[in-house]
Amino acid sequence: MKRGNQSSVSEFLLLGLPIQPEQQGMYYALFLAMYLTTVLGNLLIILLIRLDSRLHTPMYFFLSHLALTDICFSSVTAPKMLMDMLTQTQFIPYAGCISQVYFFLFFADLDSFLLTSMAYDRYVAICHPLHYTTIMSQNLCFLLVIGSWVLSFAGALVHTLLLAQLSFCGDNTLHHFFCDLSALLKLSSSDTTINELVIFIVGSMVITVPFICVLVSYGHIGATILRRPSIKGICKALSTCGSHLCVVSLYYGAIIALYFVPSSDSSTDKDVIVSVLYTVVTPMLNPFIYSLRNRDMKGALRNILRRGAFSA
């Protein structure tokens, strides 16, 4: 795609994480372990759901897509960050930077939509248990997932096309460990009014609206439990929704801290640290949350291990 004003910047310098040079080795080992845990843990979730027929339900169908999304989301930024820490070569070409922005936004939006679909699934399961199988049909599940992918693709594409129209002259230094959209807009020598307006509109559609839907779903779940209060009902609701609530809290908590809490010019390091939580830590924690708090997942893992021990 041809940009309106040809940019003189052919690459960007990523300053990376705000850590001391003598601590690079320690943090490299830490983040490498976290990334490998993210990939292997989420692959394990996908494998368990695939192999255990008892997990072939709408909730685990959405969970398998969320696990795949988390692998991809973390892979957009973590390998480049690890490579930069290892080689001390912190430059990224212009095309690579634009591509990273697109895939980062795509998988971040997809995470949001999938978490919303999972919240709706829990709402139907608890508030309308007798109609659950009818409402959460296979067709609806496929439609929700396909719709999530299409909307995420469209939202990320709009931001990327508008970003490609901007000019970057002079300073090419990004105070970040990846190509963050807001950091790139600050560097641009073009008028970014339209970009910022689109960020507000599309951000409302892919983050704020899904977040409100999640809150409404859990509001109805809470009201349903309170109408029929019992220890057994509360325990069942917590076992059913606890894992999802933990993941939602981590995901939207990081987004709110990063994009909705007012920041000053001196808070760049804080934004970078919160971004690490958002892009590396949260995807790594998801497998632990769903495996340690979920009896079905633990049961499926035990069955697979028994099968492996028996065959051996």
Side-chain angles (χ1 to χ4, degrees):
M1 181 175 180
K2 188 177 179 180
R3 283 167 283 157
N5 294 318
Q6 196 65 28
S7 170
S8 60
V9 171
S10 60
E11 59 184 12
F12 293 96
L13 172 63
L14 300 173
L15 292 186
L17 301 172
I19 55 180
Q20 298 299 320
E22 60 270 16
Q23 298 176 322
Q24 288 275 359
M26 179 185 69
Y27 279 100
Y28 175 81
L30 174 64
F31 287 123
L32 177 61
M34 292 171 68
Y35 176 63
L36 292 176
T37 302
T38 298
V39 174
L40 296 176
N42 282 290
L43 282 176
L44 178 62
I45 287 179
I46 296 171
L47 181 65
L48 291 176
I49 294 172
R50 177 69 178 171
L51 295 179
D52 196 319
S53 58
R54 293 174 301 175
L55 300 181
H56 293 175
T57 63
M59 181 178 75
Y60 294 107
F61 174 71
F62 294 130
L63 177 57
S64 64
H65 282 270
L66 182 68
L68 176 62
T69 302
D70 282 338
I71 293 172
C72 297
F73 182 52
S74 188
S75 297
V76 171
T77 57
K80 172 61 178 170
M81 177 186 70
L82 291 168
M83 184 62 68
D84 290 347
M85 294 176 71
L86 185 64
T87 64
Q88 298 298 313
T89 304
Q90 296 174 289
F91 286 96
I92 182 171
Y94 175 86
C97 190
I98 298 297
S99 299
Q100 191 178 56
V101 169
Y102 171 78
F103 286 108
F104 178 85
L105 294 173
F106 175 76
F107 290 115
D109 294 350
L110 186 55
D111 248 346
S112 179
F113 287 123
L114 289 174
L115 288 173
T116 306
S117 299
M118 294 173 75
Y120 178 70
D121 172 78
R122 295 300 83 205
Y123 158 73
V124 176
I126 293 176
C127 299
H128 304 283
L130 299 179
H131 304 285
Y132 178 75
T133 54
T134 304
I135 296 173
M136 296 305 298
S137 63
Q138 190 178 57
N139 289 337
L140 178 61
C141 292
F142 278 117
L143 184 64
L144 288 172
V145 169
I146 292 172
S148 298
W149 282 81
V150 170
L151 290 174
S152 301
F153 168 80
L157 185 62
V158 169
H159 288 304
T160 308
L161 292 177
L162 287 174
L163 179 63
Q165 296 293 325
L166 300 180
S167 296
F168 295 90
C169 302
D171 188 15
N172 68 336
T173 303
L174 286 170
H175 295 268
H176 226 299
F177 64 93
F178 71 97
C179 289
D180 180 61
L181 178 60
S182 59
L184 284 168
L185 293 184
K186 292 177 183 177
L187 276 186
S188 175
S189 54
S190 304
D191 182 11
T192 60
T193 304
I194 295 178
N195 300 73
E196 291 166 359
L197 178 62
V198 171
I199 287 174
F200 175 77
I201 296 172
V202 177
S204 298
M205 292 172 57
V206 302
I207 299 296
T208 308
V209 172
F211 182 53
I212 292 173
C213 291
V214 170
L215 292 179
V216 170
S217 296
Y218 277 103
H220 281 289
I221 290 172
T224 300
I225 295 171
L226 291 176
R227 279 199 298 268
R228 301 190 294 268
S230 68
I231 299 298
K232 183 180 179 181
I234 293 173
C235 291
K236 182 180 179 182
L238 287 175
S239 65
T240 305
C241 304
S243 301
H244 183 253
L245 269 175
C246 289
V247 173
V248 166
S249 300
L250 284 171
Y251 177 81
Y252 286 107
I255 289 179
I256 290 170
L258 189 59
Y259 296 110
F260 291 92
V261 175
S263 58
S264 61
D265 294 336
S266 60
S267 64
T268 303
D269 288 352
K270 185 265 299 182
D271 292 343
V272 173
I273 293 170
V274 175
S275 294
V276 172
L277 172 67
Y278 177 48
T279 59
V280 180
V281 179
T282 300
M284 180 198 69
L285 291 178
N286 287 355
F288 292 101
I289 293 171
Y290 280 107
S291 60
L292 295 177
R293 295 184 56 89
N294 192 297
R295 286 178 295 180
D296 293 336
M297 293 295 294
K298 287 188 285 188
L301 181 58
R302 281 194 296 267
N303 290 338
I304 297 298
L305 292 176
R306 279 198 211 104
R307 267 189 243 167
F310 181 77
S311 62

